[in-house]
Amino acid sequence: MDLRRTGRIFGWLFIGTFVTSIPARLLFIDGAGASWTNMRFVAADASSTSLKWGALLEFGLIVTQLGTALVLYPIARRQSETIALSYVTARTMESVFAAIGLVSMLSLVSVISAMNGASGIEAVALQAQGDSLAHTYEWAFEWGPGLVAGIGNGLLLGYLMYTSALVPPRLALLGLIGGSILILSFLMILAGVYKNGEGPSGLLTLPEAAWELSLGIYCAWKGFRSSSPLAERVRKSEALLPG
Protein backbone atom coordinates (compact mmCIF):
# COMPACT_ATOMS: atom_id res chain seq x y z
CA MET A 1 0.00 0.00 0.00
CA ASP A 2 1.41 3.35 -1.07
CA LEU A 3 0.58 5.53 1.94
CA ARG A 4 1.76 8.75 0.33
CA ARG A 5 -0.43 8.18 -2.70
CA THR A 6 -3.39 7.19 -0.55
CA GLY A 7 -2.86 10.27 1.60
CA ARG A 8 -2.81 12.53 -1.45
CA ILE A 9 -6.08 11.03 -2.70
CA PHE A 10 -7.56 11.55 0.77
CA GLY A 11 -6.35 15.15 0.75
CA TRP A 12 -7.80 15.99 -2.66
CA LEU A 13 -11.12 14.45 -1.65
CA PHE A 14 -11.12 16.63 1.46
CA ILE A 15 -10.43 19.69 -0.64
CA GLY A 16 -13.29 18.54 -2.85
CA THR A 17 -15.67 18.82 0.09
CA PHE A 18 -14.77 22.51 0.36
CA VAL A 19 -15.04 23.12 -3.38
CA THR A 20 -18.56 21.66 -3.42
CA SER A 21 -20.06 22.50 -0.02
CA ILE A 22 -19.47 26.26 0.18
CA PRO A 23 -20.81 27.12 -3.32
CA ALA A 24 -23.74 24.71 -2.76
CA ARG A 25 -24.67 26.52 0.45
CA LEU A 26 -24.50 29.91 -1.28
CA LEU A 27 -26.56 28.70 -4.24
CA PHE A 28 -29.23 27.19 -1.98
CA ILE A 29 -29.55 30.45 -0.04
CA ASP A 30 -29.78 32.43 -3.27
CA GLY A 31 -32.18 29.92 -4.82
CA ALA A 32 -34.58 30.12 -1.90
CA GLY A 33 -34.42 33.91 -1.97
CA ALA A 34 -33.17 33.81 1.62
CA SER A 35 -30.28 35.40 3.50
CA TRP A 36 -27.28 33.91 5.32
CA THR A 37 -28.87 34.49 8.75
CA ASN A 38 -32.49 33.79 7.80
CA MET A 39 -33.13 30.67 5.72
CA ARG A 40 -36.68 31.03 4.39
CA PHE A 41 -38.53 30.91 1.09
CA VAL A 42 -39.09 34.23 -0.69
CA ALA A 43 -40.88 33.44 -3.93
CA ALA A 44 -40.15 36.82 -5.54
CA ASP A 45 -36.39 36.35 -5.15
CA ALA A 46 -36.24 32.55 -5.65
CA SER A 47 -34.24 30.97 -8.47
CA SER A 48 -34.76 27.43 -9.77
CA THR A 49 -31.45 27.59 -11.64
CA SER A 50 -29.49 28.32 -8.45
CA LEU A 51 -31.26 25.48 -6.66
CA LYS A 52 -30.47 22.98 -9.42
CA TRP A 53 -26.78 23.94 -9.54
CA GLY A 54 -26.66 23.84 -5.75
CA ALA A 55 -28.14 20.34 -5.77
CA LEU A 56 -25.52 19.18 -8.26
CA LEU A 57 -22.71 20.51 -6.06
CA GLU A 58 -24.33 19.02 -2.96
CA PHE A 59 -24.31 15.64 -4.66
CA GLY A 60 -20.61 16.17 -5.33
CA LEU A 61 -20.21 16.89 -1.63
CA ILE A 62 -21.83 13.57 -0.74
CA VAL A 63 -19.49 11.71 -3.10
CA THR A 64 -16.34 13.36 -1.74
CA GLN A 65 -17.44 12.95 1.89
CA LEU A 66 -17.98 9.23 1.47
CA GLY A 67 -14.76 9.04 -0.54
CA THR A 68 -12.65 10.38 2.34
CA ALA A 69 -14.05 7.72 4.67
CA LEU A 70 -13.61 4.84 2.23
CA VAL A 71 -10.04 5.82 1.31
CA LEU A 72 -8.97 6.24 4.94
CA TYR A 73 -10.67 3.17 6.44
CA PRO A 74 -8.24 0.43 5.27
CA ILE A 75 -5.39 2.35 6.92
CA ALA A 76 -7.20 3.74 9.96
CA ARG A 77 -8.56 0.34 11.02
CA ARG A 78 -5.00 -0.80 11.69
CA GLN A 79 -4.85 1.94 14.31
CA SER A 80 -8.33 1.40 15.79
CA GLU A 81 -11.06 -0.66 14.15
CA THR A 82 -13.71 0.93 16.36
CA ILE A 83 -12.70 4.55 15.71
CA ALA A 84 -12.17 3.92 12.00
CA LEU A 85 -15.62 2.37 11.64
CA SER A 86 -17.10 5.19 13.72
CA TYR A 87 -15.59 7.71 11.32
CA VAL A 88 -17.11 5.91 8.33
CA THR A 89 -20.46 5.93 10.13
CA ALA A 90 -20.20 9.65 10.94
CA ARG A 91 -19.34 10.49 7.32
CA THR A 92 -22.29 8.40 6.16
CA MET A 93 -24.66 10.18 8.57
CA GLU A 94 -23.33 13.55 7.45
CA SER A 95 -24.04 12.54 3.86
CA VAL A 96 -27.57 11.45 4.81
CA PHE A 97 -28.28 14.92 6.21
CA ALA A 98 -26.80 16.45 3.05
CA ALA A 99 -29.11 14.25 0.95
CA ILE A 100 -32.13 15.40 2.99
CA GLY A 101 -31.18 19.00 2.33
CA LEU A 102 -30.58 18.29 -1.36
CA VAL A 103 -34.03 16.72 -1.83
CA SER A 104 -35.67 19.56 0.09
CA MET A 105 -34.09 22.18 -2.16
CA LEU A 106 -34.97 20.26 -5.33
CA SER A 107 -38.56 20.01 -4.11
CA LEU A 108 -38.49 23.77 -3.77
CA VAL A 109 -38.01 23.95 -7.55
CA SER A 110 -41.48 22.43 -7.97
CA VAL A 111 -42.94 24.96 -5.53
CA ILE A 112 -41.40 27.85 -7.49
CA SER A 113 -42.91 26.49 -10.69
CA ALA A 114 -46.35 26.11 -9.06
CA MET A 115 -46.19 29.66 -7.67
CA ASN A 116 -46.38 31.06 -11.22
CA GLY A 117 -49.98 32.16 -11.63
CA ALA A 118 -51.03 31.02 -8.16
CA SER A 119 -53.12 33.35 -6.04
CA GLY A 120 -55.25 33.46 -2.93
CA ILE A 121 -55.33 30.34 -0.75
CA GLU A 122 -53.21 28.37 -3.23
CA ALA A 123 -50.40 30.94 -3.08
CA VAL A 124 -50.53 30.97 0.74
CA ALA A 125 -50.34 27.17 0.84
CA LEU A 126 -47.41 27.10 -1.57
CA GLN A 127 -45.62 29.76 0.47
CA ALA A 128 -46.06 27.66 3.61
CA GLN A 129 -44.78 24.59 1.76
CA GLY A 130 -41.77 26.51 0.52
CA ASP A 131 -40.97 27.76 4.01
CA SER A 132 -41.24 24.20 5.34
CA LEU A 133 -38.81 22.89 2.73
CA ALA A 134 -36.35 25.72 3.40
CA HIS A 135 -36.50 25.05 7.14
CA THR A 136 -36.02 21.31 6.55
CA TYR A 137 -32.86 22.10 4.61
CA GLU A 138 -31.64 24.40 7.38
CA TRP A 139 -32.23 21.80 10.10
CA ALA A 140 -30.41 19.19 8.01
CA PHE A 141 -27.54 21.64 7.56
CA GLU A 142 -27.33 22.34 11.30
CA TRP A 143 -27.35 18.65 12.27
CA GLY A 144 -25.00 17.53 9.47
CA PRO A 145 -22.16 20.07 9.13
CA GLY A 146 -23.10 21.59 12.50
CA LEU A 147 -23.01 18.49 14.72
CA VAL A 148 -22.01 15.31 12.90
CA ALA A 149 -19.03 17.00 11.23
CA GLY A 150 -17.79 18.13 14.64
CA ILE A 151 -17.96 14.56 15.91
CA GLY A 152 -16.65 12.84 12.78
CA ASN A 153 -14.18 15.24 11.15
CA GLY A 154 -13.26 16.92 14.43
CA LEU A 155 -13.09 14.46 17.30
CA LEU A 156 -12.88 11.07 15.56
CA LEU A 157 -10.63 12.06 12.66
CA GLY A 158 -8.55 14.32 14.88
CA TYR A 159 -8.03 11.44 17.32
CA LEU A 160 -7.12 9.03 14.51
CA MET A 161 -4.61 11.43 13.01
CA TYR A 162 -3.12 12.30 16.40
CA THR A 163 -2.65 8.72 17.60
CA SER A 164 -1.46 7.41 14.22
CA ALA A 165 0.78 10.42 13.45
CA LEU A 166 -0.17 10.17 9.78
CA VAL A 167 -0.06 13.96 9.90
CA PRO A 168 1.86 16.15 12.37
CA PRO A 169 0.29 15.71 15.84
CA ARG A 170 0.10 19.48 16.37
CA LEU A 171 -2.06 19.71 13.26
CA ALA A 172 -4.29 16.91 14.52
CA LEU A 173 -4.81 18.74 17.81
CA LEU A 174 -6.56 21.46 15.84
CA GLY A 175 -9.15 18.87 14.84
CA LEU A 176 -9.83 17.87 18.44
CA ILE A 177 -10.19 21.52 19.45
CA GLY A 178 -12.20 22.55 16.41
CA GLY A 179 -14.59 19.61 16.71
CA SER A 180 -15.27 20.33 20.37
CA ILE A 181 -15.96 24.01 19.67
CA LEU A 182 -18.25 23.17 16.72
CA ILE A 183 -20.31 20.80 18.87
CA LEU A 184 -20.57 23.51 21.55
CA SER A 185 -21.76 25.99 18.92
CA PHE A 186 -24.43 23.53 17.74
CA LEU A 187 -25.72 23.14 21.30
CA MET A 188 -25.85 26.93 21.65
CA ILE A 189 -27.86 27.20 18.43
CA LEU A 190 -30.18 24.38 19.55
CA ALA A 191 -30.73 26.19 22.86
CA GLY A 192 -31.64 29.38 20.99
CA VAL A 193 -28.70 31.44 22.25
CA TYR A 194 -28.07 32.65 18.68
CA LYS A 195 -29.03 31.67 15.15
CA ASN A 196 -26.93 29.76 12.68
CA GLY A 197 -25.05 32.25 10.51
CA GLU A 198 -24.87 34.97 13.16
CA GLY A 199 -21.51 36.33 14.36
CA PRO A 200 -20.77 33.83 17.16
CA SER A 201 -21.59 30.78 15.04
CA GLY A 202 -19.24 31.90 12.28
CA LEU A 203 -16.36 32.49 14.67
CA LEU A 204 -16.86 29.16 16.44
CA THR A 205 -16.85 27.36 13.09
CA LEU A 206 -13.46 28.75 12.08
CA PRO A 207 -11.23 26.29 14.06
CA GLU A 208 -12.98 23.27 12.51
CA ALA A 209 -12.88 24.82 9.05
CA ALA A 210 -9.17 25.63 9.49
CA TRP A 211 -8.50 22.03 10.55
CA GLU A 212 -10.32 20.47 7.61
CA LEU A 213 -8.79 22.82 5.05
CA SER A 214 -5.25 22.50 6.43
CA LEU A 215 -5.62 18.71 6.61
CA GLY A 216 -6.75 18.58 2.99
CA ILE A 217 -3.93 20.81 1.78
CA TYR A 218 -1.26 18.99 3.82
CA CYS A 219 -2.35 15.54 2.64
CA ALA A 220 -2.82 16.59 -0.99
CA TRP A 221 0.69 18.06 -0.94
CA LYS A 222 2.64 15.50 1.09
CA GLY A 223 0.39 12.49 1.61
CA PHE A 224 0.44 10.53 4.84
CA ARG A 225 3.73 10.55 6.77
CA SER A 226 5.78 7.47 5.94
CA SER A 227 7.69 7.96 9.22
CA SER A 228 4.60 7.44 11.39
CA PRO A 229 4.39 4.31 13.60
CA LEU A 230 1.24 3.26 11.75
CA ALA A 231 3.02 3.44 8.40
CA GLU A 232 5.78 1.26 9.82
CA ARG A 233 3.22 -1.34 10.98
CA VAL A 234 1.61 -1.33 7.55
CA ARG A 235 4.96 -1.95 5.86
CA LYS A 236 5.80 -4.81 8.24
CA SER A 237 2.43 -6.48 7.75
CA GLU A 238 2.76 -6.24 3.97
CA ALA A 239 6.28 -7.69 4.15
CA LEU A 240 4.88 -10.79 5.83
CA LEU A 241 2.41 -11.44 3.03
CA PRO A 242 3.35 -14.32 0.71
CA GLY A 243 4.68 -13.45 -2.74
Side-chain angles (χ1 to χ4, degrees):
M1 181 184 295
D2 187 341
L3 285 182
R4 286 190 178 276
R5 180 174 177 273
T6 302
R8 289 191 175 102
I9 294 172
F10 174 81
W12 281 112
L13 285 170
F14 234 106
I15 291 174
T17 64
F18 272 84
V19 173
T20 53
S21 63
I22 296 175
R25 172 71 172 170
L26 294 174
L27 285 168
F28 281 152
I29 292 174
D30 176 72
S35 65
W36 191 266
T37 58
N38 187 12
M39 188 63 189
R40 61 193 183 95
F41 175 56
V42 181
D45 298 326
S47 169
S48 296
T49 301
S50 292
L51 292 173
K52 290 175 182 178
W53 279 108
L56 183 62
L57 287 170
E58 194 78 352
F59 181 75
L61 171 64
I62 293 172
V63 172
T64 51
Q65 283 180 161
L66 294 175
T68 60
L70 295 175
V71 167
L72 181 63
Y73 178 75
I75 300 172
R77 68 183 180 85
R78 298 171 186 261
Q79 180 69 26
S80 172
E81 182 79 31
T82 301
I83 301 298
L85 188 58
S86 297
Y87 177 65
V88 173
T89 302
R91 266 315 212 187
T92 302
M93 285 303 302
E94 190 179 354
S95 296
V96 168
F97 281 116
I100 292 172
L102 185 158
V103 172
S104 298
M105 290 291 97
L106 279 181
S107 298
L108 201 55
V109 173
S110 299
V111 174
I112 294 171
S113 177
M115 286 288 287
N116 294 326
S119 60
I121 296 177
E122 183 184 4
V124 173
L126 287 170
Q127 176 64 46
Q129 184 181 358
D131 281 336
S132 178
L133 290 168
H135 292 152
T136 298
Y137 162 76
E138 188 66 7
W139 276 113
F141 182 82
E142 290 179 11
W143 282 83
L147 176 63
V148 181
I151 297 171
N153 294 337
L155 300 183
L156 294 175
L157 184 58
Y159 176 81
L160 276 172
M161 291 300 176
Y162 182 82
T163 55
S164 66
L166 288 173
V167 301
R170 289 183 179 178
L171 176 60
L173 281 175
L174 183 58
L176 295 171
I177 295 170
S180 301
I181 294 175
L182 188 62
I183 294 169
L184 174 62
S185 178
F186 167 81
L187 295 175
M188 299 284 274
I189 293 172
L190 195 63
V193 177
Y194 51 76
K195 293 182 180 180
N196 185 37
E198 291 183 348
S201 68
L203 290 174
L204 294 176
T205 302
L206 287 178
E208 175 67 21
W211 151 244
E212 294 186 22
L213 183 58
S214 58
L215 175 66
I217 293 174
Y218 177 89
C219 289
W221 177 33
K222 291 189 173 182
F224 293 138
R225 298 169 74 200
S226 58
S227 59
S228 70
L230 178 56
E232 183 63 26
R233 290 203 301 272
V234 171
R235 285 193 292 269
K236 287 182 178 180
S237 65
E238 290 181 344
L240 296 175
L241 294 175

